[in-house]
Amino acid sequence: MTARVRNACAVGALVWTSLAMGRGTPGSGGEKAPVPPLRLPPTVPMRCTELAGLALPASEIGLPTRGAQIDSAAMIAIAAPGNVDGEYCRVVGSIKPLKASAPDIRFELNLPRRWNGRALQFGGGGYSGVVVSGTGTVPFSPDQPPLARGYATFGDDSGHVGNPGLAAFGLVDEAVINFGYAHLKKTHDVALALIARSYGRLPEKMYFAGGSTGGREGYTVIQRFPDDYDGVIANSPALNFSGVRLLGVQVGQAEYRNPGGFIPPALLDLMYRRTLAACDALDGAADGIVSNVAACRALEPQLIQSLRCAPQAQAEDDNCLTDAQLKTLLVLRDGLQLPYPLAWGISRYRGYNVFQGTHFTGMLGLAHSAERLPEPGFFSNGYLYAQGDAYIRYFVTRDDTASSMQFDVQHPGRYLPRLVDLSGTIGAMNPDMSRFIAHGGKLITLQGLADEVISPNQTIAYYRALIARYGDAQVDSFMRLYMVPGFQHGNGVFIPSVDMLGALDDWVTHGLAPQTLVAVDLARATNGRSRPLCRYPAFPRYTGHGNLDRAENFRCVEP
């Protein structure tokens, strides 16, 4: 089975890709269920080319701007090269900032000839800086792109150009506010104004979908603009944006400031293999996936001890980890604990499942080089640290010569007010979702238990905070959380494909709340196998009978 990259949303060095699939290849152990024929909505009257050159006044946008300008509007034919979305009108424009020194918010809007009366806003990735086109599939969903299904789709660049990961736009106040939350409302309002001008009416349903930064944006629109959205898909959400950046700084300091703290990729692989040997079969299936994370965590002390070098071992021993190297891993595992509160009283960032099947050697993993580069790179110096370093220099100190190696995360001194302000501007840790719940909004979140970029335990902690605030019954009435074993940040030994948009629309439109779903694996080595997608805290356990590559031979059980 082949995975085709359709619509990429950058997430730092790697991309959260929108993957679509064909049929299973021999030996894959399973095949994706046939995609039902696409039921197209009827053709509707619409305006397209007349939108070109239109100037929208600032009064039509709910947050302060100098209005919006439509640069082009053109019909895209079904037969256009590379078009998988049917016939649609492509609208390109920009939203003007209050200050001329700030960048525009560039956006694209797609208006299908066959409109189903719904609209879908796409989120960005990493530090954004690239216009999200809104074409192609929702990340990790099957074929049948939303635009082809009749959704009006749109996205933007979050209010700056370029996504090198260095976040230089952090020097511009209006650009930071746009990136944090304002671009979402501004683009939403412009898109709805254009939809109304094209079709003569507003959408019946308004949805949002995104992952990583886009996942944070999904929670942001619920918290800040709850009346604007009927449903949200928010995957692997970077909710505690400041927390993950500050933890990244501490990881980098453990790797490069503490003598011997760097861990060569070969030793990270050793740790991963030892984890699989101890924990793979705890779910009843030796399938390369650590599904029973709770049982694996109980084995963590023994696993760490088995990895620890004997006192007489050499520092370059490739069969064990020194105390300094283990300390680096424990920084990751333990997460961030601050002696001061950030926005919404948050002082923690939960750690990662370091010893429960997370692989840290990929493009978004830990450092591959023992030398810290003057400009830390994702691959050479580790994704978490490189992003944290840029955050300190551009967002916090606003001094690109500042040293993140010397920045005291625990005692930031004169930078404390800036850290608190940033955590409120960009973060999405506000637990108040009452207005979204009150008007019947629905939320679906999917994340990997082996995510190496956004800690799965931070997402779980936020979910538990909602339970504590609203109770199980009310949270069940509006939210679904699916934690996926083996899934990392867009990669992993199990990469799920599931129609979350269909599930969300059925829930919002017909009241059909999703329960256990079936996900098909996109990973190259195991493409086509399937597993139940279990509602948290359940995980898929093998029944002991039947093909390991078929979901029907697993049951969702709680730890």
Side-chain angles (χ1 to χ4, degrees):
M1 184 179 290
T2 59
R4 302 192 302 275
V5 178
R6 286 268 174 85
N7 179 39
C9 302
V11 180
L14 196 63
V15 290
W16 255 72
T17 51
S18 302
L19 297 172
M21 304 191 335
R23 290 296 184 87
T25 55
S28 65
E31 292 190 356
K32 180 184 171 183
V35 177
L38 186 60
R39 295 182 180 179
L40 295 174
T43 299
V44 297
M46 64 181 296
R47 300 171 63 200
C48 178
T49 55
E50 302 97 308
L51 300 177
L54 181 69
L56 288 178
S59 59
E60 296 201 38
I61 304 171
L63 291 178
T65 70
R66 288 186 292 115
Q69 177 69 37
I70 309 308
D71 300 319
S72 65
M75 291 301 299
I76 306 299
I78 293 177
N83 181 19
V84 297
D85 295 301
E87 185 182 14
Y88 67 97
C89 175
R90 179 174 181 261
V91 182
V92 177
S94 57
I95 303 169
K96 304 305 175 184
L98 289 176
K99 293 185 177 181
S101 58
D104 291 347
I105 300 170
R106 300 174 299 150
F107 69 89
E108 292 186 16
L109 167 68
N110 310 292
L111 304 168
R113 174 69 74 181
R114 295 177 175 270
W115 188 36
N116 65 8
R118 294 161 174 76
L120 174 64
Q121 182 174 5
F122 281 82
Y127 279 119
S128 294
V130 178
V131 177
V132 179
S133 70
T135 57
T137 62
V138 174
F140 312 109
S141 288
D143 281 341
Q144 301 180 353
L147 182 54
R149 294 158 84 164
Y151 288 84
T153 65
F154 58 97
D156 63 72
D157 67 356
S158 83
H160 62 276
V161 178
N163 184 17
L166 297 181
F169 72 93
L171 301 172
V172 182
D173 285 337
E174 191 170 352
V176 171
I177 293 170
N178 279 335
F179 173 72
Y181 63 89
H183 77 101
L184 299 164
K185 175 65 172 172
K186 294 173 182 178
T187 304
H188 166 276
D189 289 0
V190 169
L192 261 62
L194 294 172
I195 288 171
R197 281 168 168 78
S198 179
Y199 295 117
R201 61 187 177 96
L202 290 170
E204 300 161 14
K205 303 295 181 186
M206 180 71 229
Y207 299 141
F208 186 96
S212 195
T213 283
R216 171 184 61 81
E217 291 170 343
Y219 279 79
T220 296
V221 300
I222 289 173
Q223 296 164 15
R224 291 183 180 269
F225 316 114
D227 298 327
D228 287 349
Y229 299 86
D230 299 290
V232 170
I233 298 168
N235 295 338
S236 304
L239 300 172
N240 190 345
F241 189 87
S242 289
V244 70
R245 294 294 178 256
L246 294 177
L247 177 58
V249 172
Q250 291 194 330
V251 170
Q253 291 173 349
E255 290 176 301
Y256 293 114
R257 197 171 70 181
N258 293 347
F262 170 72
I263 310 169
L267 287 180
L268 292 172
D269 274 331
L270 172 68
M271 178 192 72
Y272 178 71
R273 293 194 306 273
R274 292 273 182 90
T275 300
L276 285 184
C279 299
D280 182 4
L282 293 175
D283 60 353
D287 55 0
I289 303 172
V290 176
S291 295
N292 192 344
V293 169
C296 186
R297 186 167 287 120
L299 301 177
E300 185 175 294
Q302 301 95 295
L303 179 61
I304 292 175
Q305 189 58 38
S306 75
L307 290 165
R308 190 186 301 273
C309 290
Q312 67 273 18
Q314 299 297 313
E316 63 271 13
D317 194 323
D318 59 1
N319 291 308
C320 61
L321 294 167
T322 66
D323 286 345
Q325 291 167 337
L326 283 170
K327 183 178 180 180
T328 297
L329 293 177
L330 294 181
V331 170
L332 263 179
R333 183 202 66 180
D334 295 341
L336 181 74
Q337 180 68 63
L338 299 172
Y340 53 87
L342 298 173
W344 302 293
I346 302 301
S347 59
R348 287 192 64 188
Y349 185 85
R350 267 66 173 189
Y352 295 75
N353 291 332
V354 174
F355 301 102
Q356 289 82 44
T358 305
H359 208 181
F360 286 99
T361 61
M363 283 295 297
L364 301 183
L366 293 179
H368 285 70
S369 172
E371 177 186 358
R372 179 192 178 276
L373 301 181
E375 189 78 42
F378 295 147
F379 185 77
S380 55
N381 301 125
Y383 181 85
L384 289 176
Y385 172 56
Q387 291 283 44
D389 173 80
Y391 188 65
I392 294 301
R393 290 189 290 124
Y394 290 105
F395 281 79
V396 179
T397 66
R398 293 188 157 182
D399 176 4
D400 64 358
T401 67
S403 171
S404 61
M405 284 288 101
Q406 304 307 317
F407 188 86
D408 191 341
V409 170
Q410 297 295 315
H411 305 94
R414 63 190 177 97
Y415 296 114
L416 177 57
R418 178 66 179 164
L419 283 173
V420 174
D421 181 64
L422 284 170
S423 67
T425 300
I426 305 177
M429 290 296 290
N430 186 351
D432 186 0
M433 293 189 169
S434 54
R435 283 175 57 189
F436 185 71
I437 298 169
H439 81 73
K442 307 301 181 187
L443 166 65
I444 299 176
T445 288
L446 176 151
Q447 181 166 356
L449 283 164
D451 197 318
E452 75 276 41
V453 172
I454 303 301
S455 171
N457 299 309
Q458 181 61 57
T459 302
I460 290 169
Y462 183 87
Y463 174 77
R464 288 175 173 167
L466 292 179
I467 295 289
R469 184 183 183 96
Y470 296 108
D472 288 286
Q474 191 164 31
V475 172
D476 283 351
S477 74
F478 82 93
M479 182 178 182
R480 291 292 181 268
L481 175 60
Y482 297 96
M483 301 302 296
V484 187
F487 184 36
Q488 300 206 181
H489 203 72
N491 210 329
V493 293
F494 187 90
I495 304 174
S497 170
V498 63
D499 184 11
M500 286 181 288
L501 180 59
L504 180 69
D505 188 51
D506 281 344
W507 196 4
V508 170
T509 305
H510 305 296
L512 300 175
Q515 303 300 333
T516 299
L517 303 175
V518 174
V520 178
D521 193 0
L522 293 173
R524 183 181 299 275
T526 48
N527 203 298
R529 66 176 170 176
S530 59
R531 289 286 185 278
L533 203 58
C534 303
R535 292 180 56 190
Y536 177 81
F539 68 91
R541 182 175 181 84
Y542 182 50
T543 62
H545 306 285
N547 191 334
L548 280 176
D549 292 328
R550 302 192 67 87
E552 61 262 31
N553 299 317
F554 289 77
R555 296 292 180 269
C556 290
V557 299
E558 295 196 10

